[in-house]
Amino acid sequence: MSELVPEPRPKPVVPMKPVSINSSLLGYIGIDTIIEQMRKKTMKTGFDFNIMVVGQSGLGKSTLVNTLFKSQVSRKASSWSREEKIPKTVEIKAIGHVIEEGGVKMKLTVIDTPGFGDQINNENCWEPIEKYINEQYEKFLKEEVNISRKKRIPDTRVHCCLYFISPTGHSLRPLDLEFMRHLSKVVNIIPVIAKADTMTLEEKAEFKQRVRKELEVNGIEFYPQKEFDEDLEDKTENDKIRQESMPFAVVGSDKEYQVNGKRVLGRKTPWGIIEVENLNHCEFALLRDFVIRTHLQDLKEVTHNIHYETYRAKRLNDNGGLPPVSVDTEESHDSNP
């Protein structure tokens, strides 16, 4: 039987570098203010970030996202209290929130998925999720080719997909490999080991290494992809993440406890409090910093420049170009929270 060779990923287009001539300025002209101009504009307009969570029921997907953004963002129900149990997901549903920190507004959309992998027959259960992701690319493409397109096209494209791996300590399920093999071509996948507090430190380290090896053997790329590192600095930083941190072994909790006089997010056990943001207890803080504090903009850029461009090129090539879409067909996009 011939071995399947994974399709090569499209290389990002690198523009030719202009010939530069070093010129010494005779005085201050204000080029450095562009950063402040960009900051002010972002402060006014805000930005979009769309995150999808996929995995079996019971792995704490909704809880982790709530922990990630320190608010109840995974469900939209005003009657909820922090003590209530999060219900199981029954369908793919996008829930939008506007959250603000330090004057910066972010329109956050959390895409919850069905009880992925919970059925007796899980064959092709990744298809509805892939269909949803491609539908968001299609919406964006139709807006782009509109004759009278909006000044700011609403962005519903999925920028990041957190894939939750069951903490078995053994190996990935065939379903895990099948899902990531198909979806890694259309979205940025970040694998996470859920409920990592169920494993010992030795079991966790061995399982992380085994998962990385299985993904490599099966030709599955996760974010950040090696071929999209822009320079040596990026490569050095991302190599450390790929070789040491991935997949992040995390614990989620939106409940607070008193530890040494401080209120901390954690899980209470008969042996003590597992502190979510304590690196000695789990890698939640590493995941949060990675997704929000260091790579959020890059997640958006890879989505636009690689995944969306791949979809766009294929779509236009298959159809021989898209006809302009009338303004009336996409009125639903006008509603912003």
Side-chain angles (χ1 to χ4, degrees), residues 199-265:
M199 297 185 289
T200 66
L201 294 177
E202 293 77 13
E203 289 171 342
K204 182 174 70 175
E206 290 175 6
F207 190 43
K208 281 166 64 80
Q209 189 173 359
R210 195 174 298 123
V211 169
R212 285 196 295 266
K213 186 65 176 176
E214 286 188 75
L215 293 175
E216 182 183 354
V217 168
N218 286 274
I220 297 170
E221 289 191 343
F222 50 81
Y223 179 86
Q225 300 90 335
K226 291 181 182 178
E227 58 193 300
F228 302 145
D229 292 340
E230 292 185 356
D231 51 36
L232 184 59
E233 183 183 355
D234 274 359
K235 184 179 185 305
T236 302
E237 180 185 353
N238 290 336
D239 275 346
K240 186 175 181 181
I241 294 168
R242 286 186 285 256
Q243 295 165 13
E244 297 177 14
S245 300
M246 291 286 186
F248 295 97
V250 299
V251 176
S253 175
D254 50 10
K255 292 185 179 180
E256 291 184 338
Y257 296 94
Q258 193 86 11
V259 177
N260 297 326
K262 294 182 179 180
R263 301 290 294 177
V264 299
L265 290 170

Side-chain angles (χ1 to χ4, degrees), residues 8-39:
R9 295 292 296 273
K11 295 282 186 183
V13 177
V14 180
M16 291 181 63
K17 291 184 178 180
V19 178
S20 60
I21 301 174
N22 294 327
S23 301
S24 56
L25 301 178
L26 300 178
Y28 179 74
I29 59 175
I31 296 173
D32 57 350
T33 63
I34 185 65
I35 303 299
E36 180 62 17
Q37 294 172 44
M38 293 167 66
R39 189 189 71 83

Side-chain angles (χ1 to χ4, degrees), residues 54-66:
V54 180
Q56 279 180 293
S57 295
L59 290 180
K61 301 185 297 293
S62 298
T63 302
L64 185 77
V65 174
N66 287 340

Side-chain angles (χ1 to χ4, degrees), residues 69-117:
F69 295 98
K70 293 192 175 180
S71 56
Q72 295 284 351
V73 295
S74 66
R75 295 286 178 177
K76 199 171 186 178
S78 57
S79 60
W80 273 26
S81 73
R82 293 175 68 86
E83 301 299 320
E84 289 184 60
K85 187 177 179 181
I86 296 175
K88 289 185 179 180
T89 308
V90 294
E91 61 182 358
I92 297 179
K93 189 172 183 180
I95 302 172
H97 300 264
V98 175
I99 58 180
E100 185 173 347
E101 183 180 50
V104 178
K105 291 181 181 179
M106 176 170 74
K107 182 188 172 186
L108 172 70
T109 301
V110 178
I111 301 101
D112 219 343
T113 55
F116 178 81

Side-chain angles (χ1 to χ4, degrees), residues 283-295:
E283 297 170 348
F284 169 81
L286 293 178
L287 173 65
R288 177 203 58 208
D289 291 354
F290 177 65
V291 172
I292 300 174
R293 300 182 183 181
T294 63
H295 284 70

